[in-house]
Amino acid sequence: MTVDPYAPNPYAALLARLHPERYAEVAAVAPPPRLFEGGRADLPATTASGVDPQVLMRLPFGLRHAAAAEPDRAKVFELVELYADVPDAQIDHPRLGEAWQRMQRWLHETDTDPRSFEQRQADDDAEFASYYPEAS
């Protein structure tokens, strides 16, 4: 299953394809997290090298975190030169893994029940009472 590795958030596109019903259900309640800044941004506000963060969009997403953290401007531009047209290129970086984990948590742990805690408790109590009327 392919997604555009140059898109702002390929993880979101991947999960939308793999789990379309759950993705739609969760996205109706909360937007999917993004790749940077704890899930709040498609790109970092700054890069360690001072390179404009927009340059990262020329790289496949699997390289963006490593390039953002690279302090040497020349190495960042070398990554762009070498890998801009290699869609599957990836450098393992802890922040890339964290972005994937955020997406997984969002998809699997986001509560989509619109009822309040109190309403859920009342509904649970009523259901319990319907099964065990003598306990009420």
Side-chain angles (χ1 to χ4, degrees), residues 68-84:
E70 175 57 57
D72 185 331
R73 291 175 60 86
K75 288 183 182 178
V76 173
F77 286 113
E78 181 179 18
L79 286 173
V80 172
E81 184 66 29
L82 293 174
Y83 298 108

Side-chain angles (χ1 to χ4, degrees), residues 4 6 28-29 35 64 73 83 87 97 100 117 130:
D4 179 5
Y6 300 95
V29 175
L35 292 179
R64 291 181 200 155
R73 291 175 60 86
Y83 298 108
W100 176 244
F117 174 79
S130 73

Side-chain angles (χ1 to χ4, degrees), residues 33-136:
R34 297 173 177 178
L35 292 179
F36 288 89
E37 297 185 12
R40 295 181 306 275
D42 292 327
L43 292 171
T46 62
T47 63
S49 65
V51 169
D52 183 342
Q54 284 297 321
V55 169
L56 302 178
M57 290 304 293
R58 293 166 46 194
L59 291 168
F61 80 102
L63 295 176
R64 291 181 200 155
H65 286 84
E70 175 57 57
D72 185 331
R73 291 175 60 86
K75 288 183 182 178
V76 173
F77 286 113
E78 181 179 18
L79 286 173
V80 172
E81 184 66 29
L82 293 174
Y83 298 108
D85 62 349
V86 182
D88 294 332
Q90 181 172 323
I91 294 175
D92 287 334
H93 190 275
R95 298 291 184 255
L96 180 61
E98 289 170 13
W100 176 244
Q101 291 303 315
R102 266 194 307 276
M103 285 299 301
Q104 290 289 317
R105 283 192 307 275
W106 170 81
L107 184 70
H108 299 293
E109 298 175 14
T110 299
D111 185 0
T112 58
D113 190 336
R115 298 174 299 161
S116 68
F117 174 79
E118 292 79 11
Q119 185 59 52
R120 286 187 218 184
Q121 189 65 46
D123 291 348
D124 289 347
D125 291 346
E127 183 178 9
F128 180 82
S130 73
Y131 292 128
Y132 305 101
E134 64 281 353
S136 301

